[in-house]
Amino acid sequence: MSAVPLRLFWNARLDEVLRALIAIPSTQRLFNPYRDHNPAVEGPSAPRIRCQNLRIYLEATPPGTPLWLGEAQARRGACRTGIPFCGELALPRLGLPLIQPTNEALPDGPTARAIWDAAPDPLPLFWNAVSQHPHRGDGRTRSPTAAEIVVNLPVLRALIAWKRPSRILCIGRIAERAARDLPVPATYVRHPAQGGLQQFRIGAAAFIEQSD
């Protein structure tokens, strides 16, 4: 395992975000990958590796970068790697010394692929309204509850206070609801799932054009 530069551990803002993330417990229908591991696909060190990946990713993202906010972790994304919208095969695209926590690499899900296809260069800051994986008990992703969104608001607020994004693109209504009271201009765009792909592409392109 590659050593993480010590400076990554001296950032009080980053530590605040990670502490808030780790403090949220998993339940029978919610998996917190920064706190727990799935023995079917990874070893007990996986949560620590995901936290390390997230440290490196967040440190590498400049303050003021636009934030693209999703709804919740998907089973093939941050749930496995620790980085929002990034499954194992997407990690090399970030150009960072990140580590695969799992025993196997799965292709990204359709939402992550749509977001990567629409994202500009340089990349926005990726995050989720709910930084855990809400599931139905069998691995299938479900929509997060209002209570789960509320529990994650301190994490999102800590991230905003540190990174000070210029604007937020809310991908779906759940993300829009989470960003409602944040002190950053937020724009809603249709979620690419369930027939919304074309509208998402149009909305994301308009958001990027307004940033230029």
Side-chain angles (χ1 to χ4, degrees):
M1 183 181 301
S2 301
V4 180
L6 289 179
R7 68 179 183 83
L8 293 176
F9 293 87
W10 297 344
N11 188 319
R13 295 279 198 174
L14 176 52
D15 286 344
E16 181 182 359
V17 171
L18 282 177
R19 281 197 302 269
L21 273 178
I22 295 169
I24 298 173
S26 296
T27 69
Q28 290 185 341
R29 301 179 70 238
L30 188 77
F31 176 68
N32 184 345
Y34 305 104
R35 179 182 176 118
D36 300 304
H37 79 285
N38 179 357
V41 300
E42 60 199 15
S45 63
R48 177 173 55 82
I49 296 172
R50 282 189 280 265
C51 287
Q52 176 176 287
N53 282 349
L54 188 60
R55 281 183 179 274
I56 295 171
Y57 170 69
L58 291 178
E59 279 279 11
T61 304
T65 299
L67 171 63
W68 284 30
L69 185 67
E71 296 188 342
Q73 289 185 355
R75 66 184 182 90
R76 294 189 179 188
C79 178
R80 296 171 70 91
T81 66
I83 310 296
F85 305 123
C86 292
E88 293 93 346
L89 298 181
L91 287 179
R93 301 185 199 176
L94 294 172
L96 298 170
L98 306 174
I99 299 171
Q100 178 179 317
T102 55
N103 302 328
E104 59 181 349
L106 297 180
D108 289 329
T111 294
R113 291 198 301 269
I115 289 170
W116 274 92
D117 288 345
D121 183 17
L123 289 171
L125 172 60
F126 294 140
W127 201 254
N128 282 301
V130 173
S131 293
Q132 302 85 41
H133 178 223
H135 58 85
R136 303 178 186 277
D138 59 0
R140 290 184 301 155
T141 303
R142 60 170 174 81
S143 295
T145 66
E148 289 163 349
I149 296 170
V150 170
V151 166
N152 276 271
L153 278 177
V155 183
L156 182 56
R157 289 186 179 279
L159 181 73
I160 294 293
W162 172 32
K163 286 301 184 180
R164 304 186 307 279
S166 56
R167 296 192 303 149
I168 301 175
L169 180 67
C170 300
I171 305 171
R173 292 298 182 190
I174 291 171
E176 181 187 39
R177 192 180 314 148
R180 186 170 297 157
D181 296 322
L182 296 175
V184 182
T187 299
Y188 163 79
V189 67
R190 173 76 185 270
H191 195 283
Q194 313 231 342
L197 180 58
Q198 187 60 26
Q199 288 177 277
F200 165 75
R201 287 172 174 166
I202 293 170
F207 181 85
I208 294 168
E209 184 176 354
Q210 291 166 9
S211 302
D212 296 337

